[in-house]
Amino acid sequence: MDKGSIDVPDAADLDAAARRYRASQGWSLPDCGHPARPVDLHGAEDLRRAIHAVGRGRSDPHDAIRRHVEERARALG
């Protein structure tokens, strides 16, 4: 699978291929929302932003978003 621009510092700058790759790896929700890449790929900053964005979820239930962010936090240590 094409990883696209997965290593850019700001998750907002990821291209479509990188967003699909991130979702396929479980680093974000299936709709590519609330991303948290691994630590070596700027995951700490992604996680900080995802935590702040939990209440702004659009289509997903709040609990599903919260669970995803908690799982990514545990995975990142």
Side-chain angles (χ1 to χ4, degrees):
M1 175 172 245
D2 181 18
K3 293 182 182 182
S5 62
I6 197 69
D7 60 350
V8 297
D10 190 354
D13 295 334
L14 294 173
D15 60 13
R19 291 177 189 276
R20 283 190 301 272
Y21 180 75
R22 184 179 66 194
S24 73
Q25 296 299 308
W27 300 342
S28 69
L29 291 171
D31 68 352
C32 300
H34 303 284
R37 294 172 287 179
V39 173
D40 62 333
L41 293 172
H42 312 285
E45 180 64 19
D46 288 352
L47 182 62
R48 185 187 69 75
R49 289 180 181 182
I51 289 168
H52 288 262
V54 166
R56 294 186 301 230
R58 292 183 301 249
S59 61
D60 294 308
H62 176 78
D63 290 339
I65 294 170
R66 184 183 48 75
R67 270 192 310 275
H68 167 72
V69 170
E70 288 172 351
E71 287 171 7
R72 291 304 301 149
R74 278 192 294 277
L76 294 175

